[in-house]
Amino acid sequence: MEDQKTQDAIRRKARSESLLESQGLLINPGLPLIGIDDETAPRRPEEIAYRALCLLPIAGRGCGLEPDDEAAMVANHGLGAHFTPAERAYIKDPSTPDPVRVQFCWQFESAWVLLWALGYIEEGLSPPREVCDVHRAYEFAADRPGDRFLEDAKPVNFSEVLDQADLAYRMHWAVRQAWMTGADLPEDINPSIVYERNYALSWLIESDVNWDDVQADT
């Protein structure tokens, strides 16, 4: 007899596949269920908050954020000890090539997912078509110095995180298949956004994995 966790995962998979089919995307019935591993567990809100706060200035640096604004956010929220090794290396290297800067800039989309998980994006995650509201994402933190960012958070239910993680995982597979076969993607699918969502959501449900070590593969 299947336990409740497995039953929920089966229903989650079916919902995701139905949505992908309605969008004209391929599905792979053989992909594993999401949310049944022993390692699957919610992150602490404080951990999510610091990760989101670190991503905002890091992504902002890639997109041309003024150094003074970056420094102010780092100081106001005490982020110095919370950057990953890869982020510290990026911060210290003034000669980072443009492709790497662009890659970090895309992490605004990962930050947006974490802001959603903290309850800041009340309208939910929209289809991965248009880039997130970068200014709004930045202001969520810039307007809340010190501990207020965490105090104002209203984290969503973990089941909602699992639903989105399942969808992002299967959508990422479909995007990769389209890329490998040269097939066209629907106009409302941006591959870079899909990748960042899968990355952030994978981190959110794998509580024992460090940010730099997330395997957002399919």
Side-chain angles (χ1 to χ4, degrees):
M1 182 176 179
E2 296 170 341
D3 61 22
Q4 187 62 49
K5 184 183 290 188
T6 300
Q7 292 177 27
D8 290 343
I10 291 172
R11 286 193 289 268
R12 187 178 299 122
K13 177 176 182 286
R15 285 196 300 268
S16 295
E17 290 177 343
S18 178
L19 179 57
L20 294 179
E21 284 187 313
S22 71
Q23 295 175 309
L25 291 169
L26 289 175
I27 64 168
N28 180 354
L31 291 177
L33 297 174
I34 297 296
I36 62 172
D37 297 333
D38 292 338
E39 295 80 9
T40 302
R43 298 267 180 180
R44 293 179 295 108
E46 181 180 9
E47 188 177 8
I48 301 172
Y50 272 116
R51 185 86 301 264
L53 288 169
C54 285
L55 286 175
L56 290 171
I58 287 293
R61 169 181 284 233
C63 296
L65 179 68
E66 292 295 330
D68 288 347
D69 292 333
E70 177 188 326
M73 179 172 284
V74 172
N76 288 342
H77 295 282
L79 302 181
H82 297 278
F83 290 115
T84 70
E87 289 168 345
R88 291 193 185 97
Y90 174 55
I91 291 170
K92 292 178 180 179
D93 185 1
S95 60
T96 303
D98 287 342
V100 176
R101 289 182 180 275
V102 170
Q103 183 178 3
F104 273 103
C105 185
W106 272 109
Q107 290 190 7
F108 264 121
E109 298 296 335
S110 285
W112 191 257
V113 171
L114 302 189
L115 290 168
W116 165 78
L118 291 168
Y120 278 109
I121 314 301
E122 296 179 357
E123 68 273 21
L125 296 175
S126 59
R129 177 178 58 247
E130 298 179 355
V131 297
C132 66
D133 188 336
V134 170
H135 178 75
R136 183 181 172 203
Y138 186 79
E139 289 302 314
F140 281 131
D143 291 346
R144 292 173 171 82
D147 295 333
R148 271 199 57 200
F149 181 77
L150 181 57
E151 291 172 357
D152 290 349
K154 298 177 181 178
V156 303
N157 191 286
F158 188 56
S159 64
E160 295 180 61
V161 178
L162 287 171
D163 288 347
Q164 290 295 332
D166 187 276
L167 178 61
Y169 172 65
R170 300 181 198 286
M171 186 177 290
H172 189 205
W173 179 88
V175 166
R176 285 178 56 85
Q177 282 298 113
W179 175 76
M180 289 189 291
T181 62
D184 292 331
L185 284 170
E187 292 183 357
D188 60 350
I189 301 294
N190 183 315
S192 294
I193 297 176
V194 172
Y195 171 81
E196 293 296 335
R197 286 193 182 181
N198 188 30
Y199 196 102
L201 287 158
S202 294
W203 179 82
L204 281 171
I205 68 172
E206 298 174 10
S207 59
D208 62 341
V209 176
N210 294 324
W211 181 262
D212 286 348
D213 300 327
V214 170
Q215 298 296 315
D217 53 23
T218 55

